[in-house]
Amino acid sequence: MKRFSRGSALLGGLLGAALLLSACSSAGTPASTSSAGGTLVIDKSFDLKTADPARNFETTGNILGRALYDTLVTFANGDSSTPIPMVATKWAGNSDATEYTFTLRDDITFPSGNKLTADDVVFSLERVANIKGNGSFLMAGLTASAIDPTTVLIKSEAPNTAIPAIMTSPTLGILDSKTVIANGGSDAVGADTADTAETYLNKTSAGSGPYELSTFDTTTETVITANPDYWGNKPKYDKVVLRNSTAETQNSDITSGTAQVALDLGSDQIASLSGNSSVIVSTTSSPTLFFLFSNANPAVSATTSNPKFREAVTYGLDYSGLLELAGNGAVRAAGVVPDSFLGALKADQAIARDVTRAKAAVATLGGTPTVSLEYPSDISSNGLDFGPIAERIQANLAEVGITVNLTPSPVATALANYRAGTEQMGLWLWNPDFPDPSDYLVFGPGATVGLRAGWAAGSAPDIESIASKAAVTVDDATRATLYQEFQTKLNEAGVFNPLFQPAASVVSSSSVGKVLFSPAFGLDIAAIGQ
Amino acid sequence: MFARFVLKRVGAAVLLVFGIVVVTFALTALLPGDPAAAQLGDRASGDPAIVEAYRKAHGLDQPLWTQFVLYLVHLVQGDLGTSLQSRNPVLSDLAQFGPASFELAVTATAIAVIVGVGLGILAALRANGPLDHTLRVVSLGGVSIPIFWLSLIAVFLFSTQLRLFPSSGRLNPGETPPNHITGLYVLDSVITANWATLGSSVAHLILPALVLAAPMVGLLLRFTRSSMLEVIGNDYVRSANAKGLPAGLVVRRHILRGALVPVITVLGSAFASLLAGTVLVEQIFAWPGIGSYAYRSASNLDLPAIVGVTLFVAIVFILVNFLVDILYGLIDPRIRTS
């Protein structure tokens, strides 16, 4: 028995040592400080793939890109309606919005010592176009050229008033062209195979932004440090750790002080923080649109392609109930264009539930229409899962006599059906690629999302005519009217049913202060604490 | 004799690995969904030129048979392809994430063996007593409580409320990992005498390892108990007790040795469930291991990574089974001679 006692003592000793070590590692205390010049820890559920701006088109990458690279113009203070100067001090478009001239600052120097010139801008934009990546569509129909070292001309094949808004995208971040070329970069046609600079850019940033890349890891954490020679307002924090963590972990981290900013907390978690004076919750409506569609292609479904069925769905949905389900801070989507963008419909222009009308429409169909509703079951956005929303839709439509069979599947599978246009009904979301209503013309007949709902070109000439006009109109007031008309007609057609824009909440520790969500790039790290 | 045994095992392992490659490759390729669509954004997937460039760059434009043959050719050369997600060679991803999972799994196993076998011995020695009944509940709880729920409760209790252990990652935010020697942070910290990192890495390891060990503890506890009780009833144990040998000696030399063979078998299978459990535990604790990598790969139809992870896990299984066979021989000489 003596030896057993020794074994127990050894075990006890080991456990004691482990607890002591854990205590020494300050596990329960914040590992970072939030004072000026200190370290800031930001928790985010990663979708990070690359630190190369031209190859990035993910939300985490946008946050990182905004910190590492300057763009011609940008947005500030959570606004996404009015671009403000960044590398470009001023810009002007011609009368038909086919040419935009940007005048650049002449006092920006990259960490390599190279001066930022128009050649760097042209290289960066053309590289995005020719790399054939997720963000290449931003440069579709556009060409950039250097007029002189501080002037860039961007030409568009068709009138395009969205160019300044497009130029805010972190994908179009400006690279130190000489450094990137020396490390395998290319902006020429064929860059999709010739450009090998991603490996370099995943180790060393080549931008003039407020931060520089310190360590890059797509799975655990990415660390950035302040650029000592940044030309603009110096960021408050010297070091920022962007950590990959689930919403549950973020909740724990922000409560314990391990992280100072949490970006993915759901409405229930945020509600549980009420009364906690150590955190500040900043909630705005996100520009993300949750929408439902009924396939207009008779080959996919004779039922959903029937306008009477779509009428029944449109007036059978309980939009208020769905909004409640989306949680505090969410807003009703009156149309497809988010409420903060030009041309958005006003709340009172939204379709209201009319059960009698919906039932009357169902009656004309004969029998009980039965359809399937597909949605991705393994992803969430702004803390919202698709499952409960789909179930509520099923219940709403059952009330008006429509049987909806739910067909959830993993996003990788569901995406294939959605993009192939074979779903009878689909529940999806749309995030803006750039903050301009023209990004929502994709919902029209024959356009990208329209085709996914089986809405072929020529199906609704009146809507297509308005869309064509809106795309080339330059005057903002006229544009706003056209986009409102476009959306009103979309709502009447009922192929798409805009549901709501979820809340976008940023939770920060009180020592950091209020942190604003940016609809354009998620978060402006350099602005935190300013 | 032993060399022949090893050679036969290695031959069987190679065939098994080949079979796994064929089945995994075929099943993943047959899954509904398009890897290009899963990787490309909404806009890019609508542009045929971009889709074509993507398919060409990743060999997805080739017929499935050609893709498979190319994969095998590269596999023989030690190339597992490039991950569509991370854009790194799968082998280098596995080398990056493998040690994290290995560290977690080995720690969990060590905890499970010490606690599970220890409590199993106690339960057997106090069979049908109050302690045995209590441990039966512990064992039942260990095997039946869902690991994701246990993870969330552990985070809430020990991290959020008591603040005893950190809830995510392998180190504190922004902390520099120890110099890479084995990739096991605890071991590397000791080797490099980096005591600050040692504290941090141990603190981060404890909670996920305890959670991961829980089902294994329950399993080992039950098997050790029943196996011990079987051996305790044997004549040679009664003889040893009758000779007046110290109780500890009888347990270690006579009972435990005989009882361990079935326990080791269970340990092998338990290691299998432990590897499966890492997917959930690693997700919740943001542990950058194979489980997290597997989850990301599967949800993004990252074929090279999926096959790579499957191969990795299969090889680990084969190695564990091989080790179990060797251990049998060491513990029970009758198996060695037969």
Side-chain angles (χ1 to χ4, degrees), chain A residues 120-177:
Chain A
D120 295 305
V121 177
V122 172
F123 171 83
S124 305
L125 300 186
E126 291 298 318
R127 184 168 175 264
V128 170
N130 291 318
I131 224 159
K132 291 184 181 168
N134 269 341
S136 295
F137 76 91
L138 292 170
M139 289 297 295
L142 304 182
T143 47
S145 56
I147 304 296
D148 61 49
T150 57
T151 312
V152 172
L153 176 67
I154 296 178
K155 283 188 180 178
S156 173
E157 287 170 3
N160 189 348
T161 50
I163 287 174
I166 290 172
M167 291 301 135
T168 63
S169 170
T171 300
L172 302 178
I174 299 162
L175 298 150
D176 177 349
S177 59

Side-chain angles (χ1 to χ4, degrees), chain A residues 11 22 25 27-28 49 134 137 198 217-221 239 243-244 246 249 252-253 255 413 419 433 439 452, chain B residues 32 37 39-45 85 87 96-97 114 160 163 166-168 172 174 199-200 203 283-284 288 296:
Chain A
L11 185 61
S22 75
S25 77
K49 289 182 181 175
N134 269 341
F137 76 91
E198 186 180 14
D217 191 307
T218 58
T219 54
T220 53
E221 63 181 32
K239 183 177 176 181
R243 289 208 315 167
N244 182 17
T246 59
T249 308
S252 164
D253 285 355
T255 313
T413 311
R419 289 176 178 168
D433 301 303
D439 193 40
R452 290 171 186 172
Chain B
Q39 305 302 321
L40 292 173
D42 262 336
R43 294 281 204 155
S45 63
Q85 270 285 298
R87 297 171 190 168
Q96 184 192 341
F97 299 119
I114 293 168
T160 310
R163 300 194 180 184
S167 58
S168 62
N172 289 326
S200 177
Q283 274 298 109
I284 292 171
R296 271 176 62 132

Side-chain angles (χ1 to χ4, degrees), chain A residues 303-315:
Chain A
T303 306
T304 60
S305 59
N306 187 325
K308 279 290 175 191
F309 174 84
R310 300 201 299 257
E311 184 183 334
V313 171
T314 302
Y315 290 96

